[in-house]
Structure formats: C-alpha cells, structure tokens
C-alpha cells in the first residue's frame, strides 16, 4: 500500500503556477479534488493527483484545464467527481 503525500493549497498553486482564485474555481468545477482532515479546516490535496495533472499536460498554454489528458487513477477519480 502506498503512503499518501498530502500537500497544501499553497503547494498546489506553486506547482501548477495558478492563482488562488483559479485553484478555487477548478475545485468548484471538479477539476481538482480537495480533502480535509477530521477536526481540521485546512484543505489538502494528494500530491500524486497534482503530479498526474502536470505530467498529463491537462493545463493548456492559456492556463485552462483540459481533462482529456488525464489517465489512470486520476482519470478514474476525475470521472467520478460531480461537475
């Protein structure tokens, strides 16, 4: 079983080179899945999911999200999200 590495929204913004408002918009649209830990209000993301998005070229040159590049577990998780 693989250990999950959790990262904060600030790490995600840095990795994806997006603003906070873009991050929130993508979460609201279901492009990114966010998690909270019991008893905490801090929002976390799975590092692997963010890395999968980066490696699949889901962000076009204009900074828009393109889900067609998703593959594997991230694609399966994405397809199950409400939009």
């Amino acid at each position: 079983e693989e250990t999950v590495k959790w990262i904060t929204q600030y790490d995600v913004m840095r990795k994806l080179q997006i603003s906070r408002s873009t991050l929130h918009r993508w979460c609201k649209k279901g492009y990114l899945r966010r998690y909270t830990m019991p008893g905490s209000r801090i929002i976390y993301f799975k590092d692997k999911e963010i890395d999968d998005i980066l490696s699949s070229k889901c962000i076009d040159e204009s900074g828009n999200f393109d889900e067609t590049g998703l593959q594997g577990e991230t694609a399966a998780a994405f397809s199950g999200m409400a939009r």
Side-chain angles (χ1 to χ4, degrees):
E1 187 174 311
E2 189 176 321
T3 303
V4 175
K5 180 180 177 189
W6 299 101
I7 59 175
T8 66
Q9 62 184 343
Y10 302 104
D11 297 323
V12 174
M13 291 185 303
R14 187 175 57 249
K15 275 187 146 185
L16 298 179
Q17 298 180 356
I18 58 174
S19 68
R20 188 174 186 162
S21 62
T22 298
L23 176 65
H24 288 294
R25 184 173 65 252
W26 287 2
C27 289
K28 188 174 183 177
K29 288 185 175 187
Y31 298 158
L32 299 175
R33 183 178 288 192
R34 60 185 177 188
Y35 304 85
T36 56
M37 303 300 163
S40 174
R41 293 176 37 191
I42 299 172
I43 297 170
Y44 293 96
F45 296 83
K46 289 183 179 179
D47 191 46
K48 181 177 180 348
E49 291 178 357
I50 303 306
D51 287 344
D52 288 348
I53 288 169
L54 282 171
S55 65
S56 64
K57 309 290 190 252
C58 290
I59 303 168
D60 67 18
E61 295 161 1
S62 302
N64 298 312
F65 194 93
D66 179 11
E67 66 193 75
T68 58
L70 290 174
Q71 299 177 1
E73 292 177 19
T74 302
F78 183 84
S79 66
M81 290 183 199
R83 293 194 181 91

Coordinates of all heavy atoms in Angstrom, one line a residue:
E1 N 0.8 -1.2 0.0 CA 0.0 0.0 0.0 C 0.9 1.2 0.0 O 1.8 1.3 0.8 CB -0.9 0.0 1.2 CG -1.9 1.1 1.2 CD -2.9 0.9 2.4 OE1 -3.4 -0.2 2.6 OE2 -3.1 1.9 3.1
E2 N 0.6 2.2 -0.9 CA 1.4 3.4 -1.0 C 0.9 4.4 0.0 O -0.3 4.6 0.2 CB 1.2 3.9 -2.4 CG 2.1 5.0 -2.8 CD 1.9 5.5 -4.2 OE1 1.8 4.6 -5.0 OE2 2.0 6.7 -4.4
T3 N 1.9 5.1 0.6 CA 1.6 6.2 1.5 C 1.2 7.4 0.8 O 1.9 7.8 -0.2 CB 2.8 6.5 2.4 OG1 3.2 5.3 3.1 CG2 2.5 7.6 3.4
V4 N 0.1 8.1 1.2 CA -0.3 9.3 0.5 C 0.5 10.5 1.0 O 0.6 10.7 2.2 CB -1.9 9.5 0.8 CG1 -2.3 10.9 0.2 CG2 -2.7 8.4 0.3
K5 N 1.0 11.3 0.1 CA 1.6 12.5 0.5 C 0.6 13.7 0.3 O 0.1 13.9 -0.8 CB 2.9 12.7 -0.4 CG 3.6 14.0 0.0 CD 4.8 14.3 -0.9 CE 5.4 15.6 -0.5 NZ 6.5 16.0 -1.4
W6 N 0.3 14.4 1.4 CA -0.6 15.5 1.3 C 0.1 16.8 1.2 O 1.2 17.0 1.8 CB -1.4 15.5 2.6 CG -2.2 14.3 2.9 CD1 -1.9 13.2 3.7 CD2 -3.4 13.9 2.3 NE1 -2.9 12.3 3.6 CE2 -3.8 12.6 2.8 CE3 -4.3 14.5 1.3 CZ2 -5.0 12.0 2.4 CZ3 -5.4 13.9 0.9 CH2 -5.8 12.6 1.4
I7 N -0.4 17.7 0.3 CA 0.2 19.0 0.2 C -0.9 20.0 0.4 O -2.1 19.7 0.2 CB 0.9 19.2 -1.2 CG1 -0.1 18.9 -2.4 CG2 2.1 18.2 -1.3 CD1 0.5 19.2 -3.7
T8 N -0.5 21.2 0.7 CA -1.5 22.3 0.9 C -1.9 23.0 -0.4 O -1.2 22.8 -1.4 CB -0.9 23.4 1.9 OG1 0.2 24.0 1.3 CG2 -0.5 22.7 3.2
Q9 N -2.9 23.9 -0.3 CA -3.3 24.6 -1.4 C -2.2 25.5 -1.9 O -2.1 25.8 -3.1 CB -4.5 25.4 -1.2 CG -4.4 26.5 -0.1 CD -5.7 27.1 0.2 OE1 -6.7 27.1 -0.6 NE2 -5.8 27.8 1.4
Y10 N -1.3 26.0 -1.1 CA -0.2 26.9 -1.5 C 0.8 26.1 -2.3 O 1.4 26.6 -3.3 CB 0.4 27.5 -0.3 CG -0.6 28.3 0.5 CD1 -1.1 27.9 1.7 CD2 -1.1 29.5 0.0 CE1 -2.1 28.6 2.4 CE2 -2.0 30.3 0.7 CZ -2.5 29.8 1.9 OH -3.5 30.5 2.6
D11 N 1.0 24.8 -1.9 CA 1.9 24.0 -2.7 C 1.3 23.7 -4.1 O 2.0 23.7 -5.1 CB 2.1 22.6 -2.0 CG 2.8 22.8 -0.6 OD1 3.7 23.6 -0.5 OD2 2.4 22.0 0.3
V12 N 0.0 23.5 -4.1 CA -0.7 23.3 -5.4 C -0.6 24.5 -6.3 O -0.2 24.4 -7.5 CB -2.1 22.9 -5.2 CG1 -2.9 22.8 -6.5 CG2 -2.2 21.6 -4.4
M13 N -0.8 25.7 -5.7 CA -0.7 26.9 -6.5 C 0.7 27.1 -7.1 O 0.8 27.5 -8.3 CB -1.1 28.1 -5.7 CG -2.6 28.1 -5.3 SD -3.1 29.6 -4.4 CE -2.1 29.6 -3.0
R14 N 1.7 26.8 -6.3 CA 3.1 26.9 -6.8 C 3.4 25.8 -7.9 O 4.0 26.2 -8.9 CB 4.0 26.7 -5.6 CG 5.5 27.0 -6.0 CD 6.4 27.0 -4.8 NE 6.4 25.7 -4.0 CZ 5.9 25.6 -2.8 NH1 5.4 26.6 -2.1 NH2 5.9 24.4 -2.2
K15 N 3.0 24.6 -7.6 CA 3.3 23.5 -8.6 C 2.6 23.8 -9.9 O 3.2 23.6 -11.0 CB 2.8 22.2 -8.1 CG 3.8 21.5 -7.2 CD 3.3 20.1 -6.9 CE 4.5 19.2 -6.8 NZ 4.1 17.8 -6.6
L16 N 1.3 24.2 -9.9 CA 0.5 24.4 -11.1 C 0.7 25.8 -11.7 O 0.2 26.1 -12.8 CB -0.9 24.1 -10.9 CG -1.3 22.7 -10.4 CD1 -2.8 22.5 -10.2 CD2 -0.8 21.7 -11.5
Q17 N 1.3 26.7 -10.9 CA 1.5 28.1 -11.3 C 0.2 28.7 -11.6 O 0.0 29.3 -12.7 CB 2.5 28.2 -12.5 CG 3.8 27.6 -12.2 CD 4.8 27.7 -13.4 OE1 4.4 28.1 -14.5 NE2 6.0 27.4 -13.1
I18 N -0.7 28.6 -10.6 CA -2.0 29.2 -10.8 C -2.3 30.1 -9.5 O -1.7 30.0 -8.5 CB -3.2 28.2 -10.9 CG1 -3.2 27.2 -9.7 CG2 -3.0 27.4 -12.2 CD1 -4.3 26.2 -9.7
S19 N -3.3 31.0 -9.7 CA -3.7 31.8 -8.6 C -4.6 31.1 -7.6 O -5.2 30.1 -8.0 CB -4.3 33.1 -9.1 OG -5.6 32.8 -9.7
R20 N -4.8 31.7 -6.5 CA -5.8 31.2 -5.5 C -7.2 31.1 -6.1 O -7.9 30.1 -5.9 CB -5.7 32.0 -4.2 CG -6.5 31.4 -3.1 CD -6.3 32.2 -1.8 NE -6.9 31.5 -0.7 CZ -6.7 31.7 0.5 NH1 -5.8 32.6 0.8 NH2 -7.3 31.0 1.5
S21 N -7.6 32.1 -6.8 CA -8.9 32.1 -7.4 C -9.1 31.0 -8.4 O -10.1 30.4 -8.5 CB -9.3 33.5 -8.0 OG -8.4 33.9 -9.0
T22 N -8.0 30.8 -9.2 CA -8.1 29.7 -10.2 C -8.2 28.4 -9.5 O -9.0 27.5 -9.9 CB -6.9 29.7 -11.1 OG1 -6.9 31.0 -11.8 CG2 -6.9 28.6 -12.1
L23 N -7.4 28.2 -8.4 CA -7.5 26.9 -7.7 C -8.9 26.7 -7.1 O -9.4 25.6 -7.3 CB -6.5 27.0 -6.5 CG -6.5 25.8 -5.6 CD1 -6.1 24.5 -6.3 CD2 -5.6 26.0 -4.4
H24 N -9.5 27.7 -6.6 CA -10.9 27.6 -6.0 C -11.9 27.3 -7.1 O -12.8 26.5 -7.0 CB -11.3 28.8 -5.2 CG -10.5 28.9 -3.9 ND1 -10.7 28.0 -2.9 CD2 -9.6 29.8 -3.5 CE1 -9.9 28.3 -1.9 NE2 -9.2 29.4 -2.2
R25 N -11.7 27.9 -8.3 CA -12.6 27.7 -9.4 C -12.5 26.3 -9.9 O -13.5 25.6 -10.2 CB -12.3 28.7 -10.5 CG -13.3 28.6 -11.7 CD -13.1 29.7 -12.7 NE -11.8 29.7 -13.4 CZ -10.8 30.5 -13.2 NH1 -10.9 31.5 -12.4 NH2 -9.7 30.3 -13.9
W26 N -11.3 25.8 -10.0 CA -11.1 24.4 -10.5 C -11.6 23.4 -9.5 O -12.2 22.4 -10.0 CB -9.6 24.2 -10.8 CG -9.0 24.9 -12.0 CD1 -9.7 25.7 -12.9 CD2 -7.7 24.8 -12.5 NE1 -8.9 26.1 -13.9 CE2 -7.7 25.6 -13.7 CE3 -6.6 24.1 -12.1 CZ2 -6.5 25.7 -14.4 CZ3 -5.4 24.2 -12.9 CH2 -5.4 25.0 -14.0
C27 N -11.5 23.7 -8.2 CA -12.1 22.8 -7.2 C -13.6 22.8 -7.4 O -14.2 21.7 -7.3 CB -11.7 23.2 -5.8 SG -9.9 22.9 -5.5
K28 N -14.2 24.0 -7.5 CA -15.6 24.1 -7.6 C -16.2 23.4 -8.8 O -17.2 22.8 -8.8 CB -16.0 25.6 -7.6 CG -17.5 25.8 -7.5 CD -17.8 27.3 -7.4 CE -19.2 27.5 -7.3 NZ -19.6 29.0 -7.1
K29 N -15.4 23.4 -9.9 CA -15.8 22.8 -11.2 C -15.5 21.3 -11.1 O -16.0 20.5 -12.0 CB -15.1 23.4 -12.4 CG -15.6 24.8 -12.7 CD -15.0 25.3 -14.0 CE -15.6 26.6 -14.3 NZ -15.1 27.1 -15.7
G30 N -14.8 20.8 -10.1 CA -14.5 19.4 -10.0 C -13.2 19.0 -10.7 O -13.0 17.8 -10.8
Y31 N -12.4 19.9 -11.2 CA -11.2 19.6 -11.8 C -10.1 19.1 -10.9 O -9.3 18.3 -11.2 CB -10.6 20.8 -12.6 CG -11.5 21.4 -13.7 CD1 -11.3 22.7 -14.1 CD2 -12.4 20.6 -14.3 CE1 -12.1 23.2 -15.1 CE2 -13.2 21.1 -15.3 CZ -13.0 22.4 -15.7 OH -13.8 22.9 -16.7
L32 N -10.2 19.6 -9.6 CA -9.3 19.1 -8.6 C -10.1 18.6 -7.4 O -11.1 19.2 -7.1 CB -8.3 20.3 -8.2 CG -7.4 20.9 -9.2 CD1 -6.7 22.1 -8.6 CD2 -6.5 19.8 -9.7
R33 N -9.6 17.6 -6.8 CA -10.3 17.1 -5.6 C -9.6 17.6 -4.4 O -8.3 17.4 -4.3 CB -10.3 15.6 -5.6 CG -11.1 15.0 -4.4 CD -11.1 13.5 -4.5 NE -12.0 13.1 -5.6 CZ -12.4 11.9 -5.8 NH1 -12.0 10.9 -5.0 NH2 -13.2 11.6 -6.7
R34 N -10.3 18.2 -3.4 CA -9.7 18.7 -2.2 C -10.2 17.8 -1.0 O -11.2 17.3 -1.1 CB -9.9 20.1 -2.0 CG -11.4 20.5 -1.9 CD -11.5 22.0 -1.8 NE -12.9 22.3 -1.8 CZ -13.4 23.5 -1.8 NH1 -12.6 24.5 -1.9 NH2 -14.7 23.7 -1.8
Y35 N -9.3 17.8 0.0 CA -9.6 16.9 1.2 C -9.4 17.7 2.4 O -8.6 18.6 2.5 CB -8.7 15.7 1.2 CG -8.7 14.9 -0.1 CD1 -7.9 15.2 -1.2 CD2 -9.5 13.7 -0.1 CE1 -7.9 14.5 -2.3 CE2 -9.5 13.0 -1.3 CZ -8.7 13.3 -2.4 OH -8.7 12.6 -3.5
T36 N -10.1 17.4 3.5 CA -9.9 18.0 4.8 C -9.7 16.8 5.8 O -10.3 15.7 5.6 CB -11.0 18.9 5.3 OG1 -12.3 18.1 5.3 CG2 -11.2 20.1 4.4
M37 N -8.9 17.0 6.8 CA -8.7 16.0 7.8 C -9.7 16.2 8.9 O -10.1 17.4 9.2 CB -7.3 16.1 8.4 CG -6.2 16.0 7.3 SD -6.3 14.4 6.5 CE -5.3 14.8 5.1
P38 N -10.1 15.2 9.6 CA -11.1 15.3 10.7 C -10.5 16.3 11.7 O -9.4 16.2 12.1 CB -11.2 13.9 11.3 CG -10.8 13.0 10.1 CD -9.8 13.8 9.3
G39 N -11.4 17.2 12.1 CA -11.0 18.2 13.2 C -10.2 19.3 12.7 O -9.7 20.1 13.4
S40 N -10.0 19.4 11.3 CA -9.2 20.5 10.8 C -9.9 21.2 9.7 O -10.7 20.6 9.0 CB -7.9 19.9 10.2 OG -7.1 20.9 9.5
R41 N -9.6 22.5 9.5 CA -10.2 23.3 8.4 C -9.3 23.5 7.3 O -9.6 24.1 6.3 CB -10.7 24.6 9.0 CG -11.8 24.5 9.9 CD -12.2 25.8 10.6 NE -12.2 26.9 9.6 CZ -12.3 28.2 10.0 NH1 -12.5 28.5 11.2 NH2 -12.2 29.1 9.1
I42 N -8.1 22.9 7.4 CA -7.0 23.1 6.4 C -7.4 22.2 5.2 O -7.7 21.0 5.4 CB -5.6 22.8 6.9 CG1 -5.3 23.7 8.1 CG2 -4.6 22.8 5.8 CD1 -4.0 23.3 8.8
I43 N -7.3 22.7 4.0 CA -7.5 22.0 2.8 C -6.2 21.4 2.3 O -5.2 22.0 2.2 CB -8.1 22.9 1.7 CG1 -9.5 23.4 2.2 CG2 -8.3 22.2 0.4 CD1 -10.0 24.5 1.3
Y44 N -6.3 20.1 2.0 CA -5.2 19.3 1.4 C -5.5 18.8 0.1 O -6.7 18.6 -0.3 CB -4.8 18.2 2.4 CG -4.3 18.7 3.7 CD1 -5.1 18.7 4.8 CD2 -2.9 19.0 3.9 CE1 -4.6 19.2 6.0 CE2 -2.4 19.4 5.1 CZ -3.3 19.5 6.2 OH -2.8 19.9 7.4
F45 N -4.5 18.4 -0.7 CA -4.6 17.8 -2.0 C -3.6 16.6 -2.0 O -2.6 16.6 -1.3 CB -4.2 18.7 -3.1 CG -5.2 19.9 -3.2 CD1 -5.0 21.0 -2.4 CD2 -6.2 19.9 -4.1 CE1 -5.9 22.1 -2.4 CE2 -7.1 21.0 -4.1 CZ -6.9 22.1 -3.3
K46 N -3.9 15.6 -2.8 CA -3.0 14.5 -2.9 C -1.9 14.9 -3.9 O -2.2 15.3 -5.1 CB -3.7 13.2 -3.4 CG -4.6 12.6 -2.3 CD -5.2 11.3 -2.9 CE -6.1 10.7 -1.8 NZ -6.7 9.5 -2.3
D47 N -0.6 14.8 -3.5 CA 0.5 15.2 -4.3 C 0.5 14.4 -5.6 O 0.7 15.0 -6.7 CB 1.8 15.0 -3.6 CG 3.0 15.7 -4.3 OD1 2.9 16.8 -4.7 OD2 4.0 15.0 -4.4
K48 N 0.2 13.1 -5.6 CA 0.2 12.3 -6.8 C -0.8 12.8 -7.8 O -0.6 12.8 -9.0 CB -0.1 10.8 -6.4 CG 0.0 9.9 -7.6 CD -0.2 8.5 -7.3 CE -0.2 7.6 -8.5 NZ -0.3 8.1 -9.8
E49 N -2.0 13.2 -7.3 CA -3.0 13.7 -8.3 C -2.6 15.0 -9.0 O -2.8 15.1 -10.2 CB -4.3 13.9 -7.5 CG -5.0 12.7 -7.0 CD -6.3 12.9 -6.3 OE1 -6.7 14.1 -6.0 OE2 -6.9 11.9 -5.9
I50 N -1.9 15.8 -8.2 CA -1.4 17.1 -8.8 C -0.2 16.7 -9.8 O -0.2 17.3 -10.9 CB -0.9 18.0 -7.7 CG1 -2.0 18.4 -6.7 CG2 -0.3 19.3 -8.4 CD1 -3.3 18.9 -7.3
D51 N 0.6 15.8 -9.4 CA 1.7 15.4 -10.3 C 1.2 14.7 -11.6 O 1.7 15.0 -12.7 CB 2.7 14.4 -9.6 CG 3.6 15.1 -8.6 OD1 3.7 16.4 -8.7 OD2 4.2 14.4 -7.8
D52 N 0.1 14.0 -11.4 CA -0.5 13.3 -12.6 C -1.1 14.4 -13.6 O -1.0 14.3 -14.8 CB -1.7 12.4 -12.2 CG -1.2 11.1 -11.5 OD1 0.1 10.8 -11.6 OD2 -2.0 10.4 -11.0
I53 N -1.7 15.4 -13.0 CA -2.2 16.5 -13.8 C -1.1 17.2 -14.6 O -1.2 17.5 -15.8 CB -3.0 17.5 -12.9 CG1 -4.3 16.9 -12.5 CG2 -3.2 18.8 -13.7 CD1 -5.1 17.6 -11.5
L54 N 0.0 17.4 -13.9 CA 1.2 18.1 -14.5 C 1.8 17.2 -15.6 O 2.1 17.7 -16.7 CB 2.3 18.4 -13.5 CG 2.1 19.6 -12.6 CD1 3.1 19.6 -11.5 CD2 2.1 20.9 -13.4
S55 N 1.9 15.9 -15.4 CA 2.5 15.1 -16.4 C 1.6 14.8 -17.5 O 2.1 14.4 -18.6 CB 3.0 13.8 -15.7 OG 1.9 13.0 -15.3
S56 N 0.3 14.9 -17.4 CA -0.6 14.6 -18.5 C -0.9 15.8 -19.3 O -1.7 15.8 -20.3 CB -1.9 14.1 -17.9 OG -2.5 15.1 -17.1
K57 N -0.3 17.0 -19.0 CA -0.5 18.2 -19.8 C -2.0 18.6 -19.9 O -2.5 19.0 -20.9 CB 0.0 18.0 -21.2 CG 1.4 17.5 -21.3 CD 2.4 18.5 -20.9 CE 3.8 18.0 -21.2 NZ 4.6 17.6 -20.1
C58 N -2.6 18.6 -18.7 CA -4.0 19.0 -18.6 C -4.2 20.5 -18.6 O -5.4 20.9 -18.7 CB -4.7 18.3 -17.4 SG -4.9 16.6 -17.6
I59 N -3.2 21.2 -18.4 CA -3.3 22.6 -18.4 C -2.7 23.2 -19.7 O -1.5 23.0 -20.0 CB -2.5 23.2 -17.2 CG1 -3.1 22.6 -15.9 CG2 -2.6 24.7 -17.2 CD1 -2.2 22.9 -14.7
D60 N -3.5 23.8 -20.5 CA -3.1 24.3 -21.8 C -2.3 25.6 -21.7 O -2.1 26.1 -20.6 CB -4.2 24.5 -22.8 CG -5.2 25.6 -22.4 OD1 -4.8 26.5 -21.6 OD2 -6.3 25.6 -22.9
E61 N -1.8 26.1 -22.8 CA -0.9 27.2 -22.8 C -1.6 28.5 -22.2 O -0.9 29.4 -21.8 CB -0.4 27.5 -24.2 CG 0.5 26.4 -24.7 CD 0.6 26.4 -26.2 OE1 0.0 27.3 -26.9 OE2 1.3 25.5 -26.7
S62 N -2.9 28.5 -22.3 CA -3.6 29.7 -21.8 C -4.0 29.6 -20.3 O -4.6 30.4 -19.7 CB -4.9 29.9 -22.6 OG -4.7 30.0 -23.9
G63 N -3.6 28.4 -19.7 CA -3.8 28.2 -18.3 C -5.2 27.6 -18.0 O -5.7 27.6 -16.9
N64 N -5.9 27.1 -19.1 CA -7.2 26.5 -18.9 C -7.0 25.0 -18.7 O -6.0 24.4 -19.1 CB -8.0 26.7 -20.2 CG -8.3 28.1 -20.4 OD1 -8.7 28.8 -19.5 ND2 -8.1 28.6 -21.6
F65 N -7.9 24.4 -18.0 CA -7.8 23.0 -17.6 C -8.5 22.1 -18.7 O -9.6 22.4 -19.1 CB -8.6 22.7 -16.3 CG -8.3 21.4 -15.7 CD1 -7.3 21.3 -14.8 CD2 -9.0 20.3 -16.0 CE1 -7.0 20.0 -14.2 CE2 -8.7 19.1 -15.4 CZ -7.7 18.9 -14.5
D66 N -7.8 21.1 -19.2 CA -8.3 20.2 -20.2 C -8.2 18.8 -19.7 O -7.2 18.2 -19.6 CB -7.5 20.3 -21.5 CG -7.9 19.4 -22.6 OD1 -9.0 18.8 -22.5 OD2 -7.2 19.3 -23.6
E67 N -9.4 18.3 -19.3 CA -9.5 16.9 -18.7 C -9.2 15.8 -19.6 O -8.9 14.7 -19.2 CB -10.8 16.7 -18.0 CG -11.9 16.7 -19.1 CD -13.3 16.8 -18.5 OE1 -13.7 17.9 -18.1 OE2 -14.0 15.7 -18.4
T68 N -9.1 16.0 -20.9 CA -8.9 14.9 -21.9 C -7.5 14.2 -21.7 O -7.3 13.1 -22.1 CB -9.1 15.4 -23.3 OG1 -8.1 16.4 -23.6 CG2 -10.5 15.8 -23.6
G69 N -6.6 14.9 -21.1 CA -5.2 14.3 -20.9 C -5.1 13.4 -19.7 O -4.1 12.8 -19.5
L70 N -6.1 13.3 -18.8 CA -6.0 12.5 -17.6 C -6.0 11.1 -17.9 O -6.7 10.6 -18.8 CB -7.2 12.9 -16.7 CG -7.1 14.2 -16.0 CD1 -8.4 14.4 -15.2 CD2 -6.0 14.4 -15.1
Q71 N -5.2 10.3 -17.2 CA -5.1 8.9 -17.3 C -5.1 8.2 -16.0 O -4.8 8.8 -15.0 CB -3.9 8.5 -18.1 CG -3.8 9.1 -19.5 CD -2.5 8.8 -20.2 OE1 -1.7 8.1 -19.7 NE2 -2.4 9.3 -21.4
G72 N -5.3 6.9 -16.0 CA -5.1 6.1 -14.8 C -6.0 6.4 -13.7 O -7.2 6.7 -13.9
E73 N -5.5 6.3 -12.4 CA -6.3 6.5 -11.2 C -6.8 8.0 -11.2 O -8.0 8.2 -10.7 CB -5.4 6.3 -10.0 CG -5.0 4.9 -9.8 CD -4.1 4.7 -8.6 OE1 -4.0 5.6 -7.7 OE2 -3.4 3.7 -8.5
T74 N -6.1 8.9 -11.6 CA -6.6 10.3 -11.6 C -7.7 10.5 -12.5 O -8.7 11.1 -12.2 CB -5.4 11.3 -11.9 OG1 -4.4 11.1 -11.0 CG2 -5.9 12.7 -11.9
A75 N -7.7 9.8 -13.7 CA -8.8 9.9 -14.6 C -10.1 9.3 -14.0 O -11.2 9.8 -14.1 CB -8.5 9.2 -16.0
A76 N -9.9 8.1 -13.4 CA -11.0 7.4 -12.7 C -11.6 8.3 -11.6 O -12.8 8.4 -11.5 CB -10.5 6.1 -12.2
A77 N -10.7 8.9 -10.8 CA -11.2 9.8 -9.7 C -11.9 11.0 -10.3 O -13.0 11.4 -9.8 CB -10.0 10.2 -8.9
F78 N -11.4 11.5 -11.4 CA -11.9 12.7 -12.0 C -13.3 12.4 -12.6 O -14.3 13.1 -12.4 CB -11.0 13.2 -13.1 CG -11.5 14.5 -13.8 CD1 -11.3 15.7 -13.2 CD2 -12.3 14.4 -14.9 CE1 -11.7 16.9 -13.8 CE2 -12.8 15.6 -15.5 CZ -12.5 16.8 -14.9
S79 N -13.5 11.2 -13.2 CA -14.7 10.9 -13.9 C -15.8 10.7 -12.8 O -17.0 10.8 -13.1 CB -14.6 9.6 -14.7 OG -14.3 8.5 -13.9
G80 N -15.4 10.4 -11.6 CA -16.4 10.2 -10.5 C -16.8 11.4 -9.8 O -17.7 11.4 -9.0
M81 N -16.2 12.5 -10.1 CA -16.5 13.8 -9.4 C -17.7 14.5 -10.0 O -17.9 14.4 -11.2 CB -15.3 14.8 -9.6 CG -14.1 14.4 -8.8 SD -12.9 15.7 -9.0 CE -11.4 14.8 -8.5
A82 N -18.5 15.1 -9.2 CA -19.6 15.9 -9.7 C -19.1 17.2 -10.3 O -18.2 17.8 -9.8 CB -20.6 16.2 -8.5
R83 N -19.7 17.6 -11.4 CA -19.3 18.8 -12.0 C -20.4 19.9 -11.9 O -21.5 19.7 -11.9 CB -19.0 18.6 -13.5 CG -17.8 17.7 -13.6 CD -17.3 17.8 -15.1 NE -16.2 16.9 -15.2 CZ -16.2 15.7 -15.5 NH1 -17.3 15.1 -15.8 NH2 -15.1 15.0 -15.5

